Amino acid sequence: MKKKGGGEDGGGNWMDTYGDLVTLLLTFFVLLYSMSSVDSKKWDIFVRSIYPDGKTPSEKAASQTPLIVDSEAEKADETTETQADPAGDPVAPENEIPDSEELYIQIAAALQQAGVSDVTVTGGEDYTFVVFKDKAFFGGDSSVLTDQGKHILDIFCDTIKDSNDAISQMNIMGHTAKANPNQDNSVRGDRMLSGMRASEVCIYIQEKGIVDPDKLVSIGFGQYRPLESNDTPEGRASNRRVEILIIDKDAKERSIEDYYKEIQDNINGDTTVILREDGSYANQAAQGADAGVVDGAAPAVEPVPGN
C-alpha cells in the first residue's frame, strides 16, 4: 500500500548526475595529460605554421633588441681602469699636499683637507713653525676662541697627538696689530690681548692632553713684532696672528730670535707650505724672503676692526 502523499522513489536520479560529472572530470584530466606530453618538435612546427615568416612574436622582439658586444664591454672596463693609477687607487686630486712622515707636511696636509686657508707651515732643521693669520681663532679685540678656531685647533691637535715624545717644547705666541697706524695701542690692552689669545690657545691644547703641560709656553708679543706695515688693512691682517713653534727633542739650544730670523730670512723656503684661500698650496722658496705674497699678489683681506 502506497504512503499517503508519496510518489515513486526518485533516489536514483542524483546518481546519474554525479556519474556524468565524474566522467566529465576524468575526460578533462585525460585531455590535460595528453596536452602535456605533446612532442615539442611537433608543437613548434604547428606554431610556426600559423605565422607566414616562420618567426614567433617573441623571436621578432629578440631580433630587434640591441646587444652589448664584448668590444663595448671592454671599452667600458678600459674607461674605468684609466680612472685609477697602476696600483688601482683613485688618482690623487691636483695640487694636493703629498703624504710624508715630516710633521710640518702632516700638519699642512690635514689643514688643507679641512679647507683651512691663510696658514703658513715651515719645517726647520729641528723645529716646526706654524702661523695662523688674522681671524683664524679670534674676532677683533677679542680673546674668546671662535667655533672656527676650535675646529682648526682640533685638526692641529689630532695631527700632533702622537708626537709628544718627539717634542721638547711648544711655544704659542700671540700678536696684535695697530688699530690706528699713527698711534700705538694701549700698552695694557695690547699686552693683555696678545697674552690672553696665546693663553687661550695654549689652554685649549693642554686640555686635549696630547702634550705634557710642562712643555707648553704661552707668550704675548703685542704689536711689536709686525710682519708688514700697519698702514694698510692687508698689512694689519698679516700682523694679527697666532704662531706655534714646536721644538724637537734634543734640538740645539737657541733663542727665540734665532727662530724668527730664519723665518724672516726665508732660510727654509723649500720646506715652507702656504695654504691659499682657493684650497691650493704654494711653496715659499719661489717667493723670496717676502712672506705672505703668493704669485706676486697678496690675497684680498677684509679689514677687521680692533687689534
Side-chain angles (χ1 to χ4, degrees), residues 15-233:
M15 287 294 294
D16 295 337
T17 304
Y18 178 75
D20 293 339
L21 177 60
V22 171
T23 302
L24 290 173
L25 288 174
L26 179 60
T27 304
F28 176 72
F29 284 114
V30 170
L31 178 62
L32 289 178
Y33 176 76
S34 63
M35 290 177 65
S36 64
S37 60
V38 171
D39 191 319
S40 59
K41 293 183 179 180
K42 293 181 179 180
W43 176 258
D44 186 61
I45 293 173
F46 169 72
V47 172
R48 291 180 182 278
S49 65
I50 300 176
Y51 302 97
D53 56 0
K55 292 185 178 181
T56 64
S58 60
E59 290 176 339
K60 291 180 181 179
S63 63
Q64 296 173 357
T65 302
L67 300 177
I68 299 177
V69 296
D70 292 342
S71 61
E72 293 177 354
E74 290 173 359
K75 289 180 180 178
D77 293 339
E78 291 174 358
T79 302
T80 303
E81 291 173 358
T82 57
Q83 296 175 353
D85 62 11
D89 296 328
V91 177
E94 294 183 1
N95 211 358
E96 180 175 318
I97 300 175
D99 294 334
S100 172
E101 294 183 359
E102 297 286 344
L103 181 60
Y104 85 97
I105 289 291
Q106 294 178 9
I107 294 173
L111 294 173
Q112 184 196 37
Q113 292 173 5
V116 180
S117 61
D118 288 337
V119 178
T120 303
V121 187
T122 299
E125 180 182 353
D126 50 13
Y127 68 91
T128 301
F129 198 90
V130 188
V131 181
F132 296 94
K133 295 286 187 68
D134 197 24
K135 298 177 291 185
F137 296 143
F138 306 100
D141 288 327
S142 173
S143 61
V144 179
L145 276 170
T146 62
D147 291 339
Q148 177 190 8
K150 294 177 181 179
H151 176 63
I152 294 174
L153 285 175
D154 287 340
I155 298 169
F156 174 80
C157 292
D158 186 64
T159 305
I160 68 169
K161 64 183 178 182
D162 298 324
S163 303
N164 180 55
D165 293 338
I167 296 174
S168 65
Q169 184 170 305
M170 182 183 296
N171 294 348
I172 297 93
M173 299 167 286
H175 300 265
T176 60
K178 285 186 178 181
N180 184 346
N182 302 316
Q183 180 180 351
D184 287 343
N185 298 330
S186 163
V187 175
R188 176 177 294 276
D190 186 64
R191 291 291 188 180
M192 290 289 291
L193 182 61
S194 63
M196 290 176 65
R197 285 177 172 176
S199 296
E200 286 295 331
V201 174
C202 183
I203 291 169
Y204 195 88
I205 295 174
Q206 180 174 336
E207 289 179 342
K208 291 290 184 180
I210 57 172
V211 179
D212 294 338
D214 60 339
K215 297 179 180 180
L216 297 172
V217 180
S218 60
I219 306 171
F221 284 114
Q223 62 185 317
Y224 301 105
R225 290 178 181 263
L227 295 176
E228 299 181 17
S229 171
N230 284 300
D231 292 338
T232 65

